[in-house]
Amino acid sequence: MVEVKDIKSSEEIAWCPGCGNFGILNAVKKSVAKLGRDLKDVLFVSGIGQAAKLPHYIRCNCFNGLHGRALPVAVAAKIANHKLTVVITTGDGDCYGEGGNHFIHNIRRNLDITLIVHDNQIYGLTKGQASPTTDPGYQTKFQPEGVIEEPLCPLEMAIAIGAGFVARGYAADYEHLSWLILEGIKYKGFALIDVLQPCVSFNKKNTFEWYSKRIYKVNDDESYNPEDKMLAFQKSCEWGDRIPIGIIYRAEKKTFEEKTGLTERSPLVEEQIENIDISDIVREDFT
């Protein structure tokens, strides 16, 4: 039986004191412990950024990729070994900015992977530029007159292009967040969990205090049906005075692994390749 203490690594944590990432880390550790899987069967993949450091602080398999390129690595790992539990930890800049194209097309692909986005609405590692999710008008050292671009709305986008599991968590409520993460991992298909993560160093608007006055748990309302796509889309559009957290949308969909028959065979990593002959393919005449 895996316990939370078994998941903690000995690496020194490099985040700023008070960073919202600590809450996400606690939620991840609790979720992995509740998952009940051997740690060798869990893979965490990340890109570049403060969020990408999270796998260093847990005792699981880890792969650090390039900026915006965590999803291709995670997808490749899942295809090679469909028995793995694959979780991606990334930031709003890493995933929605540099990695936006991979975000869109892997929702379409629908592999059974879980994407946790630390959404602090700022670039924290590179000292405070506006990210794709920064609120309009917010002033930074690099946008001194305020952000003029419209923000990318990840929940709206994910629902609109066909994601089957779309959720939002809050870093300060790691009990609720750990439940969301566990539900996302158990969901068969691509699961997005966008986490509101205050950055105490560079985002002076979207603070813990700011969020605490606005967030509410949508699943506490028994009348809310997360399987109603139009209702879920309307809920995903809420931002400002009231911000919903919880499972916004959930629908059962056939996964990439099921469509391709991967789940009906042994993982590719277990197959013998020594006696495979590709000479006929190499000699094939395509003229």
Side-chain angles (χ1 to χ4, degrees):
M1 181 70 177
V2 176
E3 297 182 17
V4 172
K5 63 180 179 62
D6 300 322
I7 302 168
K8 182 180 178 181
S9 79
S10 59
E11 292 289 323
E12 182 179 356
I13 296 180
W15 294 325
C16 301
C19 176
N21 280 326
F22 285 97
I24 301 176
L25 175 61
N26 289 334
V28 165
K29 289 189 291 189
K30 188 165 187 176
S31 304
V32 173
K34 285 187 175 181
L35 188 62
R37 297 211 68 186
D38 193 306
L39 296 181
K40 69 178 179 60
D41 296 321
V42 181
L43 171 66
F44 277 81
V45 181
S46 64
I48 297 295
Q50 296 291 3
K53 296 176 182 178
L54 185 144
H56 302 175
Y57 309 139
I58 53 178
R59 292 184 60 250
C60 292
N61 295 311
C62 164
F63 189 103
N64 277 127
L66 301 174
H67 203 8
R69 303 297 181 263
L71 274 167
V73 174
V75 166
K78 187 67 177 182
I79 290 174
N81 186 357
H82 61 77
K83 293 182 179 180
L84 280 177
T85 293
V86 179
V87 180
I88 305 97
T89 60
T90 179
D92 46 311
D94 191 40
C95 184
Y96 304 141
E98 284 78 2
N101 188 52
H102 297 298
F103 175 68
I104 292 170
H105 294 292
N106 280 298
I107 287 177
R108 294 178 54 236
R109 192 166 285 120
N110 195 37
L111 269 93
D112 184 15
I113 56 179
T114 305
L115 175 65
I116 304 171
V117 182
H118 303 217
D119 193 349
N120 59 15
Q121 299 172 263
I122 208 81
Y123 277 96
L125 186 67
T126 47
K127 307 300 184 270
Q129 305 99 314
S131 83
T133 56
T134 303
D135 286 336
Y138 185 71
Q139 294 176 308
T140 76
K141 292 179 181 179
F142 305 91
Q143 289 86 18
E145 296 182 2
V147 174
I148 61 173
E149 295 173 310
E150 288 298 310
L152 184 150
C153 302
L155 303 190
E156 294 176 40
M157 177 186 290
I159 294 171
I161 61 180
F165 186 100
V166 179
R168 176 189 284 139
Y170 177 42
D173 191 344
Y174 66 86
E175 291 287 347
H176 180 256
L177 179 56
S178 69
W179 170 70
L180 285 179
I181 293 171
L182 190 59
E183 289 296 304
I185 292 174
K186 291 190 295 185
Y187 173 77
K188 294 298 181 184
F190 186 99
L192 167 66
I193 303 166
D194 185 81
V195 186
L196 304 175
Q197 179 248 307
C199 173
V200 295
S201 294
F202 299 109
N203 188 337
K204 303 302 183 183
K205 175 184 178 182
N206 310 110
T207 62
F208 286 105
E209 181 182 6
W210 189 88
Y211 280 124
S212 67
K213 296 176 180 177
R214 290 166 170 81
I215 63 169
Y216 69 96
K217 295 175 181 174
V218 66
N219 306 119
D220 284 351
D221 180 357
E222 294 183 1
S223 68
Y224 181 74
N225 179 14
E227 296 179 0
D228 184 332
K229 189 170 185 176
M230 293 308 297
L231 178 62
F233 188 82
Q234 292 173 4
K235 190 63 65 175
S236 74
C237 296
E238 287 188 21
W239 186 263
D241 291 337
R242 283 177 54 81
I243 300 173
I245 63 172
I247 299 175
I248 307 298
Y249 181 61
R250 181 171 190 152
E252 300 306 315
K253 302 182 65 177
K254 206 166 185 178
T255 66
F256 178 87
E257 297 94 317
E258 292 170 331
K259 290 179 180 179
T260 56
L262 280 174
T263 53
E264 303 301 320
R265 57 191 291 181
S266 299
L268 299 179
V269 293
E270 296 178 3
E271 293 190 3
Q272 299 298 317
I273 62 173
E274 288 81 4
N275 299 320
I276 295 179
D277 183 3
I278 64 170
S279 57
D280 288 342
I281 299 175
V282 174
R283 288 196 302 267
E284 188 172 349
D285 185 1
F286 291 100
T287 61

